[in-house]
């Protein structure tokens, strides 16, 4: 049965592709998006391929989830809401605090206030949460117990010790983090995503609306922004490679992330919005594989056929985690879906797409200077 679907923040990387997935099965899609210059450029109608892609299959309304009137209008007649709208960027969130809190928490609270106090036809809300809410995630101590270590300390990292520690119980072994892990985010972004998720999963059941929370890992793939310095290292490193410039690898290069390909994220999100077993679920959406930064560099260099210099600098950012890898057992059991694209294959597809895009300034150095000026980046 077709539904009317609202995707907040739907003109972005994930949302524009998700709109096509819904349209393919006959759903009617509306998108509410601020069309932020950081994501879409100064003239989105001309500069944003993501907006152009979304506009092919959806009605795109320019507006913010923090604007009650725009939000009220967008919610009219909708059956499903996929709530992607958020400011993203762990580092930037540490000094643009009010903007992140207002968009991520304030926008979510305004939407729930409307759903609670005004008539509507919404049956299900899917919220894009984040692995950042776990902080350092789950480790195993030498005695076999599972532990959730505290955030890393500036003094230790300044001395070149980038690993996570638990006093008296070293060493720690990284294990996949499941949905029952302790929530202790290490950034304003992570805090805002935790609150956003908890607002949805707390309020929606009380008003008869089904709720699903998806904890996205590190999403990548063709179509992601190459101009936004807060979208991740694949975009940043790709631009440096194409410019023939040195890649500065932070810490010791052994920090790792769970990279999950865009097509897998879109399918998992579509199932979260349509599958009968999804309501009430909180699900990790990741590959279940930890990939180090040095492995990322190697995969990109290989795919580009490049050998630009790589410098392991020991630089580090306060608020960054050391590792993450998701336990995807619940995703498989609930939705019957297992991510399909391995990292090497995904990088090859990403690079083939990048080669057809113009080489543009990503603003990366400017973003680092902003952090360094606030003592959040240590060089």
């Amino acid at each position: 049965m077709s539904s009317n679907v609202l995707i907040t923040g739907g003109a972005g990387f994930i949302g524009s592709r998700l709109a096509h997935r819904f349209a393919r099965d006959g759903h009617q899609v509306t998108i509410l998006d601020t069309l932020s210059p950081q994501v879409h450029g100064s003239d989105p109608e001309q500069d944003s391929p993501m907006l152009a892609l979304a506009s092919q299959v959806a009605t795109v309304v320019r507006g913010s989830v923090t604007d009650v009137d725009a939000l009220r209008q967008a919610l009219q007649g909708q059956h499903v809401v996929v709530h992607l709208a958020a400011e993203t960027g762990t580092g930037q969130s540490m000094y643009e605090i009010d903007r992140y809190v207002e968009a991520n928490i304030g926008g979510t609270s305004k939407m729930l206030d409307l759903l609670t106090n005004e008539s509507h036809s919404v049956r299900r809300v899917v919220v894009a949460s984040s692995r950042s809410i776990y902080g350092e995630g789950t480790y195993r101590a030498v005695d076999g117990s599972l532990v959730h270590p505290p955030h890393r300390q500036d003094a230790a990292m300044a001395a070149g010790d980038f690993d996570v520690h638990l006093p008296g119980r070293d060493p720690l072994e990284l294990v996949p983090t499941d949905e029952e892990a302790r929530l202790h985010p290490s950034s304003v972004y992570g805090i805002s995503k935790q609150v956003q998720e908890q607002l949805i999963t707390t309020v929606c059941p009380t008003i008869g609306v089904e709720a699903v929370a998806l904890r996205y890992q590190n999403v990548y793939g063709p179509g992601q922004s190459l101009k936004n310095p807060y979208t991740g290292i694949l975009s940043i490193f790709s631009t440096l490679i194409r410019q023939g410039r040195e890649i500065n690898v932070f810490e010791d290069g052994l920090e790792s992330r769970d990279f999950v390909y865009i097509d897998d994220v879109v399918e998992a999100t579509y199932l979260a919005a349509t599958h009968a077993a999804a309501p009430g679920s909180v699900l990790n959406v990741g590959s279940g594989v930890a990939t180090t930064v040095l492995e990322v560099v190697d995969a990109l260099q290989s795919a580009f056929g490049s050998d630009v210099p790589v410098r392991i600098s020991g630089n580090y950012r306060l608020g960054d985690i050391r590792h993450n890898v998701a336990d995807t057992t619940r995703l498989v059991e609930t939705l019957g879906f297992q991510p399909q694209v391995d990292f090497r294959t995904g990088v090859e597809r990403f690079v083939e797409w990048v080669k057809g895009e113009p080489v543009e300034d990503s603003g990366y150095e400017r973003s680092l200077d902003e952090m360094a000026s606030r003592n959040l980046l240590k060089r």
Side-chain angles (χ1 to χ4, degrees), residues 139-343:
Y139 288 75
R140 181 177 287 112
V142 291
D143 63 4
S145 62
L146 296 181
V147 297
H148 301 96
H151 310 315
R152 296 180 295 168
Q153 298 300 304
D154 189 2
M157 291 192 287
D161 180 6
F162 300 112
D163 288 323
V164 294
H165 298 278
L166 200 64
R169 303 182 75 176
D170 284 347
L172 298 177
E173 174 192 358
L174 177 68
V175 297
T177 298
D178 67 19
E179 293 85 352
E180 301 305 315
R182 177 189 172 196
L183 305 183
H184 61 141
S186 59
S187 67
V188 172
Y189 172 70
I191 293 168
S192 73
K193 296 304 285 187
Q194 179 181 348
V195 175
Q196 190 180 49
E197 174 187 313
Q198 291 176 328
L199 284 168
I200 295 292
T201 57
T202 299
V203 174
C204 282
T206 70
I207 58 174
V209 175
E210 298 168 343
V212 188
L214 301 179
R215 294 174 179 169
Y216 292 151
Q217 309 298 301
N218 291 68
V219 186
Y220 75 100
Q224 70 184 80
S225 175
L226 300 176
K227 297 183 289 187
N228 183 354
Y230 306 102
T231 55
I233 60 173
L234 271 85
S235 290
I236 293 166
F237 289 173
S238 292
T239 297
L240 293 174
I241 288 171
R242 298 178 80 197
Q243 294 172 333
R245 296 170 58 193
E246 175 187 80
I247 296 175
N248 174 6
V249 174
F250 285 7
E251 302 189 14
D252 56 6
L254 299 180
E255 63 273 27
S256 66
R257 299 292 183 267
D258 185 331
F259 293 95
V260 56
Y261 192 67
I262 180 61
D263 291 358
D264 288 328
V265 171
V266 165
E267 189 61 25
T269 307
Y270 178 78
L271 290 172
T274 59
H275 199 293
S281 299
V282 175
L283 304 171
N284 286 331
V285 178
S287 68
V289 177
T291 302
T292 69
V293 172
L294 288 177
E295 288 171 334
V296 171
V297 172
D298 179 68
L300 286 171
Q301 295 263 48
S302 176
F304 275 110
S306 167
D307 61 351
V308 300
V310 177
R311 177 170 59 95
I312 302 173
S313 66
N315 297 163
Y316 61 93
R317 298 190 310 180
L318 298 180
D320 274 358
I321 61 164
R322 177 63 170 172
H323 299 295
N324 85 270
V325 59
D327 184 328
T328 60
T329 302
R330 188 182 291 181
L331 177 70
V332 177
E333 292 177 348
T334 303
L335 302 182
F337 177 72
Q338 176 70 55
Q340 300 296 305
V341 181
D342 66 87
F343 184 67

Side-chain angles (χ1 to χ4, degrees), residues 58-92:
T59 299
V60 180
V61 178
R62 187 168 191 170
S64 173
V65 289
T66 62
D67 181 337
V68 173
D69 291 334
L71 191 55
R72 178 184 290 113
Q73 183 67 30
L75 285 168
Q76 288 185 3
Q78 305 298 337
H79 303 123
V80 175
V81 177
V82 180
H83 188 37
L84 303 179
E87 296 292 346
T88 60
T90 300
Q92 189 182 48

Side-chain angles (χ1 to χ4, degrees), residues 28-109:
Q28 303 300 310
V29 183
T30 299
I31 285 170
L32 179 66
D33 199 298
T34 61
L35 303 181
S36 164
Q38 183 169 297
V39 177
H40 296 280
S42 58
D43 185 359
E45 296 290 344
Q46 299 296 321
D47 298 340
S48 176
M50 291 180 285
L51 173 59
L53 182 65
S55 298
Q56 293 173 1
V57 295
T59 299
V60 180
V61 178
R62 187 168 191 170
S64 173
V65 289
T66 62
D67 181 337
V68 173
D69 291 334
L71 191 55
R72 178 184 290 113
Q73 183 67 30
L75 285 168
Q76 288 185 3
Q78 305 298 337
H79 303 123
V80 175
V81 177
V82 180
H83 188 37
L84 303 179
E87 296 292 346
T88 60
T90 300
Q92 189 182 48
S93 77
M94 299 297 286
Y95 58 89
E96 295 199 17
I97 299 164
D98 184 63
R99 182 161 74 93
Y100 274 71
V101 171
E102 173 63 13
N104 299 2
I105 299 176
T108 303
S109 66

